[in-house]
């Protein structure tokens, strides 16, 4: 059996790729001896506070507007169990099992830093859930993204006290059934534990992790498919020249231009029309570096902030040491809510310009490429209606671009009088990205169809390999057929990242390198 890489929760720096690796059972998260000692020390500080009977928010007081209500020593444990029950008010379709598992991983890392006063046995139970793939069922709606993601985190940790539901061994079951199968018993939460579990941004952050991955994939595919469309429509290479982008040196723009130059390298198609009479191309081709590049810059900003949050302590109150406990606002989701809204716009724009390229391909204004990408039209509609679908998806995305973080509705009787709504930012971002994957899939079909009309001329080795691969999955269309079947195949190609892997493999085989200085910034996470 292959030995898994290990990651030390609360001790090592967590990255997006590491989180995903743990969630996909490629890396094993552990609690080191040093981390365990730090956790025990923090828990002891909380126990001492309870013994001293001095009022500290969330330990021996009520929560939110009840922060001035003193809780007796005998009631502090009951309080922690009750908070999980009372705050489990989520509604709507459950989030994916993957998202819920990411939440567990993110939470255990934050709690393991030793500023939360949580018991070691509680973290070990959370780790058991991760290791045994017993993942809580968490509703998608109900968080306002301040005081933490209270409702979804409450549902996430109901199984610790024997309540709620879990996904286990391919089924959704009651936690009581999980206990019957495994012999586990409900935990008795200590002072502050319930609050530590449900304060934090892990619902928003889990969405952010997937947004980093999915947006990166869409950006990679947009460049590849856009380059294929440039070839299919005989676009010019000049707008991608390094000299132009040195005059406006946004890193994202330079990176995209370099990728396009690499993808088009060695193209016979480009050489065939290098002296044609056309002066310039429409923006959807000519401005690929500026538009894709702007979204690249947004992705880089997103990755930077998400990775800060991955390694932050976001519950409340925070136990600094024996003398200092701070009730602050590290649970507030605004820092990542805003950048997720920004990323939603960046994703939408990738879909928007892709739809424009699809429309451009259908016009029949490029020499040799027939209107609607089919020779025999009239009896055949060709690819006309595929663009209806991308128009609908692009429009839907635009309607989802209103920033959730621009809104705030006071909660908790005014104690929580400004909230981030970041949970909505995260959910919308993933929804837009799923639509963008579909738009790019349709552009892939239309670009491959246009590309076909350039034969017998060849592109460079990279795009020729891409076209050959697409043709093993979807044949050239010389008459109408049920195009939804083709679309579903193309969507799977995008989701599986077949094209990006094929490009990398082909580059390695042919000793090619990307013509960009910014590979590390924009290709790793």
């Amino acid at each position: 059996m292959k030995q898994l890489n290990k990651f030390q929760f609360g001790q090592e720096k967590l990255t997006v790729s590491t989180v995903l690796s743990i969630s996909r059972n490629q890396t094993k998260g552990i609690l080191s001896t040093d981390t365990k000692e730090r956790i025990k020390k923090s828990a002891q500080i909380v126990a001492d506070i309870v013994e001293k009977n001095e009022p500290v928010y969330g330990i021996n007081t009520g929560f939110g507007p009840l922060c001035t209500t003193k809780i007796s020593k005998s009631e502090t444990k009951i309080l922690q169990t009750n908070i999980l029950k009372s705050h489990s008010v989520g509604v709507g379709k459950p989030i994916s099992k993957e998202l819920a598992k990411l939440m567990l991983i993110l939470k255990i890392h934050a709690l393991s830093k030793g500023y939360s006063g949580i018991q070691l046995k509680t973290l070990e139970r959370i780790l058991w859930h991760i290791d045994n793939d017993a993942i809580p069922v968490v509703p998608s709606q109900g968080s306002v993204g301040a005081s933490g993601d209270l409702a979804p985190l409450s549902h996430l940790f109901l199984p610790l006290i024997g309540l709620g539901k879990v996904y286990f061994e391919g089924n959704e079951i009651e936690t009581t059934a999980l206990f019957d199968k495994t012999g586990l018993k409900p935990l008795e939460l200590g002072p502050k534990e319930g609050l530590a579990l449900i304060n934090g941004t892990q619902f928003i952050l889990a969405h952010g992790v997937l947004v980093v991955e999915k947006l990166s994939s869409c950006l990679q595919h947009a460049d590849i498919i856009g380059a294929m469309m440039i070839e299919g429509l005989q676009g010019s290479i000049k707008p991608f020249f390094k000299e132009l982008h040195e005059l406006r040196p946004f890193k994202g723009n330079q990176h995209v231009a370099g990728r396009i130059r690499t993808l088009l390298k060695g193209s016979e198609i480009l050489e065939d029309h290098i002296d044609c009479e056309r002066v310039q191309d429409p923006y959807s081709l000519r401005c690929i570096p500026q538009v894709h590049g702007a979204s690249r810059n947004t992705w880089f900003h997103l990755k930077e902030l998400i990775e800060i949050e991955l390694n932050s302590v976001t519950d409340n109150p925070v136990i600094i040491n024996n003398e200092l406990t701070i009730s602050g606002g590290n649970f507030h989701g605004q820092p990542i809510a805003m950048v997720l809204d920004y990323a939603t716009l960046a994703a939408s724009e990738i879909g928007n310009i892709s739809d424009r390229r699809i429309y451009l391909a259908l016009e029949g204004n490029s020499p040799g490429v027939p209107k609607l990408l089919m020779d025999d039209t009239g009896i055949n509609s060709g690819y006309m209606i595929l663009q209806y679908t991308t128009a609908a998806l692009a429009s839907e995305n635009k309607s989802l671009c209103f920033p959730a973080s621009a809104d705030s509705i006071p909660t908790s009787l005014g104690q929580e009088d400004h909230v981030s709504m970041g949970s909505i930012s995260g959910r919308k971002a993933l929804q837009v990205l799923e639509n963008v994957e579909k738009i790019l899939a349709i552009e892939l079909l239309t670009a491959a169809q246009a590309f076909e009309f350039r034969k017998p001329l060849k592109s460079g080795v990279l795009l020729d390999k891409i076209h050959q691969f697409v043709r093993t999955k979807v044949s050239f269309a010389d008459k109408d057929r049920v195009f939804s079947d083709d679309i579903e195949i193309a969507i799977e190609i995008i989701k599986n990242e077949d094209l990006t892997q094929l490009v990398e493999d082909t580059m390695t085989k042919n000793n090619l390198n990307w013509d960009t200085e910014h590979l590390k910034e924009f290709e790793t996470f």
Side-chain angles (χ1 to χ4, degrees):
M1 185 175 178
K2 184 181 178 182
Q3 187 71 29
L4 296 178
N5 292 327
K6 291 183 179 179
F7 175 82
Q8 299 177 92
F9 285 123
Q11 194 165 326
E12 296 183 81
K13 182 181 179 182
L14 194 58
T15 64
V16 171
S17 59
T18 304
V19 177
L20 293 169
S21 181
I22 297 169
S23 74
R24 292 163 187 173
N25 304 318
Q26 297 159 349
T27 297
K28 182 174 175 58
I30 62 170
L31 297 171
S32 70
T33 302
D34 288 346
T35 297
K36 289 178 181 179
E37 288 304 313
R38 195 164 57 245
I39 291 164
K40 290 176 182 177
K41 183 179 178 180
S42 182
Q44 186 59 51
I45 293 173
V46 171
D48 293 344
I49 290 171
V50 173
E51 285 299 321
K52 290 177 184 176
N53 206 29
E54 296 174 359
V56 176
Y57 173 72
I59 295 177
N60 48 22
T61 75
F63 309 118
L66 302 175
C67 61
T68 57
T69 303
K70 191 77 182 297
I71 304 298
S72 69
K73 178 181 175 182
S74 62
E75 293 174 323
T76 54
K77 291 183 178 180
I78 299 172
L79 174 68
Q80 303 307 316
T81 300
N82 282 349
I83 193 175
L84 285 186
K85 294 177 181 177
S86 65
H87 286 56
S88 295
V89 293
V91 296
K93 183 180 177 181
I95 61 174
S96 68
K97 180 182 170 184
E98 180 179 33
L99 276 169
K101 189 172 184 179
L102 287 170
M103 288 176 69
L104 289 175
I105 295 165
L106 299 172
K107 193 66 182 180
I108 195 171
H109 184 58
L111 294 175
S112 296
K113 289 183 175 292
Y115 295 96
S116 302
I118 200 157
Q119 296 180 96
L120 178 59
K121 67 176 184 180
T122 305
L123 292 185
E124 288 175 336
R125 177 62 66 85
I126 297 171
L127 191 56
W128 181 93
H129 277 272
I130 295 168
D131 290 344
N132 290 275
D133 212 34
I135 309 303
V137 176
V138 178
S140 58
Q141 295 171 293
S143 172
V144 296
S147 257
D149 292 308
L150 294 173
L153 283 167
S154 296
H155 285 277
L156 188 75
F157 292 118
L158 278 178
L160 298 183
I161 58 173
L163 302 175
K165 296 180 179 181
V166 295
Y167 299 109
F168 187 64
E169 295 180 341
N171 297 305
E172 181 183 316
I173 61 174
E174 298 286 342
T175 299
T176 50
L178 175 71
F179 285 5
D180 289 341
K181 282 174 171 283
T182 61
L184 292 177
K185 302 292 183 185
L187 295 180
E188 184 181 85
L189 298 179
K192 191 188 178 295
E193 285 202 281
L195 191 60
L197 289 168
I198 70 171
N199 256 217
T201 58
Q202 285 74 34
F203 181 88
I204 307 172
L205 188 55
H207 284 75
V209 165
L210 288 188
V211 172
V212 169
E213 181 184 43
K214 280 184 171 289
L215 180 52
S216 175
S217 176
C218 285
L219 290 165
Q220 304 271 20
H221 284 95
D223 292 346
I224 294 168
I225 298 166
M228 181 176 282
M229 192 67 90
I230 290 168
E231 290 284 69
L233 303 183
Q234 288 190 323
S236 172
I237 187 66
K238 284 187 177 180
F240 307 95
F241 279 8
K242 183 177 290 187
E243 292 86 348
L244 175 66
H245 296 284
E246 286 174 345
L247 301 177
R248 197 187 188 200
F250 288 106
K251 288 183 179 180
N253 303 30
Q254 291 178 312
H255 182 63
V256 170
R259 280 174 56 85
I260 300 296
R261 289 195 301 271
T262 304
L263 289 162
L264 296 177
K265 190 173 183 179
S267 170
E268 293 177 2
I269 300 171
L270 279 178
E271 291 297 325
D272 185 62
H273 65 91
I274 201 163
D275 295 319
C276 70
E277 296 180 357
R278 282 185 296 169
V279 177
Q280 60 183 21
D281 297 320
Y283 288 0
S284 60
L285 297 181
R286 189 177 7 141
C287 298
I288 284 176
Q290 289 78 11
V291 178
H292 290 196
S295 293
R296 287 267 182 182
N297 292 328
T298 306
W299 176 86
F300 184 78
H301 185 47
L302 171 71
K303 178 187 71 166
E304 182 180 42
L305 298 194
I306 289 296
E307 292 203 340
I308 291 173
E309 191 78 340
L310 286 177
N311 296 284
S312 297
V313 175
T314 58
D315 66 305
N316 182 61
V318 173
I319 312 298
I320 304 297
N321 53 45
N322 293 76
E323 288 75 39
L324 184 59
T325 299
I326 301 174
S327 180
N330 275 11
F331 51 70
H332 203 293
Q334 198 78 357
I336 52 175
M338 291 182 71
V339 75
L340 281 168
D341 285 330
Y342 185 21
T344 301
L345 176 61
S348 179
E349 281 303 288
I350 292 299
N352 198 15
I353 196 171
S354 176
D355 168 72
R356 293 297 79 215
R357 288 193 292 265
I358 294 165
Y359 186 91
L360 188 66
L362 302 180
E363 287 185 315
N365 292 333
S366 180
V369 178
K371 189 177 292 186
L372 304 177
L373 296 173
M374 201 172 281
D375 283 320
D376 188 12
T377 50
I379 190 172
N380 293 298
S381 296
Y383 280 72
M384 180 198 306
I385 307 301
L386 277 76
Q387 193 266 328
Y388 278 49
T389 300
T390 60
L393 291 167
S395 180
E396 181 178 311
N397 282 351
K398 292 173 189 178
S399 72
L400 291 168
C401 279
F402 177 84
S405 59
D407 186 35
S408 178
I409 299 175
T411 57
S412 198
L413 303 184
Q415 183 73 8
E416 297 160 13
D417 56 354
H418 182 281
V419 298
S420 75
M421 300 300 179
S423 63
I424 302 168
S425 303
R427 288 170 46 228
K428 289 200 298 107
L430 286 182
Q431 189 176 345
V432 166
L433 282 163
E434 287 176 5
N435 288 341
V436 172
E437 288 174 339
K438 296 167 187 172
I439 294 171
L440 289 171
I442 292 173
E443 188 187 0
L444 176 62
L445 296 175
T446 53
Q449 186 78 359
F451 197 90
E452 198 92 27
F453 291 103
R454 296 298 163 214
K455 290 182 176 180
L457 295 174
K458 291 184 176 182
S459 182
V461 63
L462 296 175
L463 292 183
D464 269 348
K465 281 288 185 183
I466 290 291
H467 189 259
Q468 290 166 21
F469 173 78
V470 173
R471 283 290 168 257
T472 67
K473 303 290 185 178
V474 180
S475 63
F476 176 78
D478 56 4
K479 60 183 179 181
D480 285 350
R481 60 193 186 211
V482 180
F483 285 114
S484 64
D485 295 338
D486 295 354
I487 294 170
E488 290 303 317
I489 292 169
I491 290 171
E492 283 305 304
I493 290 173
I494 300 294
K495 285 182 176 292
N496 293 338
E497 301 191 356
D498 293 328
L499 303 188
T500 55
Q501 189 59 56
L502 180 59
V503 166
E504 292 300 329
D505 292 345
T506 305
M507 289 182 73
T508 300
K509 188 175 180 179
N510 290 272
N511 295 315
L512 295 172
N513 294 300
W514 290 111
D515 185 10
T516 169
E517 299 173 3
H518 305 297
L519 203 63
K520 188 174 181 181
E521 291 106 313
F522 294 108
E523 305 293 338
T524 59
F525 54 84

Coordinates of all heavy atoms in Angstrom, one line a residue, residues 344-385:
T344 N -16.1 36.1 -9.0 CA -17.4 35.8 -9.7 C -17.4 36.7 -11.0 O -17.8 36.2 -12.1 CB -18.6 36.1 -8.8 OG1 -18.5 35.3 -7.6 CG2 -19.9 35.8 -9.6
L345 N -17.1 37.9 -10.9 CA -17.1 38.8 -12.0 C -16.0 38.4 -13.0 O -16.3 38.3 -14.2 CB -16.8 40.3 -11.6 CG -16.7 41.3 -12.7 CD1 -17.9 41.5 -13.5 CD2 -16.3 42.7 -12.0
A346 N -14.9 38.0 -12.5 CA -13.8 37.5 -13.4 C -14.2 36.3 -14.2 O -13.9 36.2 -15.4 CB -12.5 37.3 -12.6
A347 N -14.8 35.4 -13.5 CA -15.3 34.1 -14.1 C -16.4 34.5 -15.2 O -16.3 33.9 -16.3 CB -15.9 33.2 -13.1
S348 N -17.3 35.3 -14.8 CA -18.4 35.7 -15.7 C -17.8 36.3 -17.0 O -18.3 36.0 -18.1 CB -19.3 36.7 -15.1 OG -20.4 37.1 -15.9
E349 N -16.8 37.1 -16.9 CA -16.2 37.7 -18.1 C -15.5 36.7 -19.0 O -15.5 36.9 -20.3 CB -15.2 38.8 -17.7 CG -15.9 40.1 -17.3 CD -16.8 40.7 -18.4 OE1 -16.2 41.2 -19.4 OE2 -18.0 40.6 -18.2
I350 N -15.0 35.7 -18.5 CA -14.4 34.6 -19.3 C -15.5 34.0 -20.1 O -15.4 33.7 -21.3 CB -13.7 33.6 -18.4 CG1 -12.4 34.2 -17.8 CG2 -13.3 32.3 -19.2 CD1 -11.4 34.7 -18.8
G351 N -16.7 33.7 -19.5 CA -17.8 33.2 -20.2 C -18.4 34.2 -21.2 O -18.8 33.8 -22.4
N352 N -18.3 35.4 -20.9 CA -18.9 36.5 -21.8 C -18.1 36.6 -23.1 O -18.7 36.6 -24.2 CB -18.9 37.8 -21.0 CG -19.8 38.8 -21.6 OD1 -20.7 38.5 -22.4 ND2 -19.7 40.1 -21.2
I353 N -16.8 36.7 -23.0 CA -16.0 36.8 -24.2 C -16.0 35.5 -25.0 O -15.9 35.5 -26.2 CB -14.5 37.3 -23.9 CG1 -13.9 37.8 -25.1 CG2 -13.7 36.2 -23.2 CD1 -12.5 38.4 -24.9
S354 N -16.1 34.4 -24.3 CA -16.2 33.1 -25.0 C -17.5 33.0 -25.9 O -17.4 32.6 -27.0 CB -16.2 31.9 -24.0 OG -16.4 30.7 -24.6
D355 N -18.6 33.5 -25.3 CA -19.8 33.5 -26.1 C -19.7 34.4 -27.3 O -20.2 34.1 -28.4 CB -21.0 34.1 -25.2 CG -22.2 34.4 -26.0 OD1 -22.9 33.5 -26.5 OD2 -22.4 35.7 -26.2
R356 N -18.9 35.5 -27.2 CA -18.7 36.5 -28.3 C -17.9 35.8 -29.4 O -18.2 36.0 -30.6 CB -18.0 37.7 -27.8 CG -18.8 38.6 -26.9 CD -20.1 39.2 -27.5 NE -21.2 38.2 -27.6 CZ -22.1 38.1 -28.5 NH1 -22.0 38.9 -29.6 NH2 -23.0 37.3 -28.4
R357 N -16.9 35.0 -29.0 CA -16.1 34.3 -30.0 C -17.0 33.2 -30.7 O -16.8 33.0 -31.9 CB -14.9 33.6 -29.4 CG -13.8 34.6 -28.9 CD -12.5 33.9 -28.6 NE -12.6 33.1 -27.4 CZ -12.3 33.5 -26.2 NH1 -11.8 34.7 -26.0 NH2 -12.4 32.6 -25.2
I358 N -17.9 32.6 -30.0 CA -18.8 31.6 -30.6 C -19.6 32.3 -31.7 O -19.8 31.8 -32.8 CB -19.6 30.9 -29.5 CG1 -18.8 30.1 -28.6 CG2 -20.7 30.1 -30.2 CD1 -19.5 29.6 -27.3
Y359 N -20.2 33.4 -31.3 CA -21.1 34.2 -32.2 C -20.2 34.6 -33.4 O -20.7 34.5 -34.6 CB -21.6 35.5 -31.5 CG -22.6 36.3 -32.3 CD1 -23.9 36.0 -32.2 CD2 -22.1 37.3 -33.2 CE1 -24.9 36.8 -32.9 CE2 -23.0 38.0 -33.9 CZ -24.4 37.7 -33.8 OH -25.3 38.5 -34.5
L360 N -19.0 35.0 -33.2 CA -18.1 35.4 -34.3 C -17.9 34.3 -35.3 O -17.9 34.5 -36.5 CB -16.8 35.9 -33.7 CG -15.8 36.6 -34.7 CD1 -16.3 37.9 -35.2 CD2 -14.5 36.8 -33.9
A361 N -17.7 33.1 -34.7 CA -17.5 31.9 -35.6 C -18.6 31.6 -36.5 O -18.5 31.0 -37.5 CB -17.1 30.7 -34.7
L362 N -19.9 32.0 -36.0 CA -21.1 31.6 -36.8 C -21.4 32.6 -37.9 O -22.2 32.3 -38.8 CB -22.3 31.5 -35.8 CG -22.2 30.6 -34.7 CD1 -23.5 30.6 -33.8 CD2 -22.0 29.1 -35.1
E363 N -20.8 33.8 -37.9 CA -21.1 34.8 -38.8 C -20.8 34.5 -40.3 O -21.4 35.1 -41.2 CB -20.5 36.1 -38.4 CG -21.1 36.8 -37.2 CD -20.5 38.1 -36.9 OE1 -19.3 38.3 -36.9 OE2 -21.3 39.0 -36.6
G364 N -19.7 33.7 -40.5 CA -19.3 33.4 -41.8 C -18.5 34.4 -42.5 O -18.4 34.5 -43.7
N365 N -17.8 35.3 -41.7 CA -17.0 36.4 -42.2 C -15.5 36.1 -42.4 O -14.8 36.9 -42.8 CB -17.2 37.6 -41.3 CG -18.6 38.2 -41.4 OD1 -19.3 38.1 -42.4 ND2 -19.0 38.9 -40.3
S366 N -15.2 34.9 -41.9 CA -13.8 34.5 -42.1 C -13.6 33.6 -43.3 O -14.4 32.7 -43.5 CB -13.3 33.6 -40.9 OG -12.0 33.2 -41.0
P367 N -12.7 33.9 -44.2 CA -12.6 33.2 -45.5 C -12.4 31.7 -45.3 O -11.6 31.2 -44.5 CB -11.3 33.8 -46.1 CG -11.1 35.1 -45.5 CD -11.7 35.0 -44.1
G368 N -13.3 31.0 -46.0 CA -13.2 29.5 -45.9 C -14.1 28.9 -44.9 O -14.3 27.7 -44.9
V369 N -14.6 29.7 -43.9 CA -15.4 29.1 -42.9 C -16.9 29.5 -43.2 O -17.3 30.7 -43.2 CB -15.0 29.7 -41.5 CG1 -16.0 29.2 -40.4 CG2 -13.6 29.3 -41.2
P370 N -17.8 28.5 -43.4 CA -19.1 28.8 -43.8 C -20.0 29.4 -42.6 O -19.6 29.2 -41.5 CB -19.7 27.5 -44.2 CG -18.9 26.5 -43.5 CD -17.5 27.1 -43.3
K371 N -21.0 30.1 -43.0 CA -22.0 30.6 -42.0 C -22.5 29.5 -41.2 O -22.8 28.4 -41.8 CB -23.1 31.4 -42.7 CG -24.0 32.2 -41.8 CD -25.0 33.0 -42.6 CE -24.4 34.1 -43.3 NZ -25.4 35.0 -44.0
L372 N -22.6 29.7 -39.9 CA -23.2 28.6 -39.0 C -22.3 27.4 -38.9 O -22.7 26.3 -38.5 CB -24.6 28.3 -39.3 CG -25.6 29.5 -39.3 CD1 -27.0 29.0 -39.7 CD2 -25.6 30.1 -38.0
L373 N -21.1 27.5 -39.5 CA -20.1 26.4 -39.4 C -20.5 25.2 -40.1 O -20.1 24.1 -39.8 CB -19.7 26.1 -37.9 CG -19.0 27.3 -37.2 CD1 -18.9 26.9 -35.7 CD2 -17.7 27.6 -37.8
M374 N -21.3 25.3 -41.1 CA -21.8 24.1 -41.9 C -22.0 24.5 -43.3 O -22.6 25.6 -43.6 CB -23.0 23.6 -41.3 CG -23.3 22.1 -41.6 SD -24.7 21.5 -40.6 CE -23.9 21.1 -39.1
D375 N -21.6 23.7 -44.3 CA -21.7 24.0 -45.7 C -23.2 24.0 -46.2 O -23.6 24.9 -46.9 CB -20.9 23.1 -46.5 CG -19.4 23.4 -46.5 OD1 -19.1 24.6 -46.5 OD2 -18.6 22.4 -46.4
D376 N -23.9 23.0 -45.8 CA -25.3 22.8 -46.3 C -26.3 23.3 -45.3 O -26.9 22.6 -44.5 CB -25.5 21.3 -46.6 CG -26.8 21.1 -47.3 OD1 -27.4 22.0 -47.8 OD2 -27.2 19.9 -47.3
T377 N -26.5 24.7 -45.3 CA -27.5 25.2 -44.3 C -28.7 25.6 -45.1 O -28.8 25.7 -46.3 CB -26.9 26.5 -43.7 OG1 -26.4 27.4 -44.7 CG2 -25.8 26.2 -42.7
G378 N -29.8 25.8 -44.3 CA -31.1 25.9 -44.9 C -31.9 24.8 -44.4 O -32.7 24.9 -43.4
I379 N -31.6 23.6 -44.9 CA -32.2 22.4 -44.3 C -31.5 22.0 -43.0 O -32.1 21.4 -42.1 CB -32.0 21.2 -45.3 CG1 -32.8 20.0 -44.8 CG2 -30.6 20.8 -45.5 CD1 -32.9 18.9 -45.8
N380 N -30.3 22.5 -42.8 CA -29.6 22.4 -41.6 C -29.4 23.7 -40.9 O -29.1 24.7 -41.6 CB -28.2 21.7 -41.8 CG -28.3 20.3 -42.3 OD1 -28.8 19.4 -41.6 ND2 -27.7 20.1 -43.5
S381 N -29.6 23.8 -39.6 CA -29.3 25.0 -38.8 C -27.9 25.2 -38.4 O -27.5 26.2 -37.9 CB -30.3 25.0 -37.6 OG -31.6 25.1 -38.0
G382 N -27.1 24.1 -38.5 CA -25.7 24.2 -38.1 C -25.6 24.4 -36.6 O -26.4 23.9 -35.8
Y383 N -24.6 25.2 -36.3 CA -24.3 25.5 -34.9 C -25.0 26.7 -34.3 O -24.7 27.2 -33.2 CB -22.8 25.7 -34.7 CG -22.0 24.4 -34.7 CD1 -21.9 23.6 -35.8 CD2 -21.5 23.9 -33.5 CE1 -21.2 22.4 -35.8 CE2 -20.8 22.7 -33.5 CZ -20.7 21.9 -34.6 OH -20.0 20.7 -34.6
M384 N -26.1 27.2 -35.0 CA -26.8 28.4 -34.7 C -27.3 28.3 -33.2 O -27.1 29.3 -32.4 CB -28.0 28.6 -35.6 CG -28.8 29.8 -35.3 SD -30.5 29.8 -36.0 CE -30.1 29.5 -37.7
I385 N -27.9 27.3 -32.8 CA -28.7 27.2 -31.6 C -27.7 27.0 -30.4 O -28.1 27.3 -29.2 CB -29.8 26.2 -31.6 CG1 -30.7 26.5 -32.9 CG2 -30.7 26.3 -30.4 CD1 -31.3 27.9 -32.9

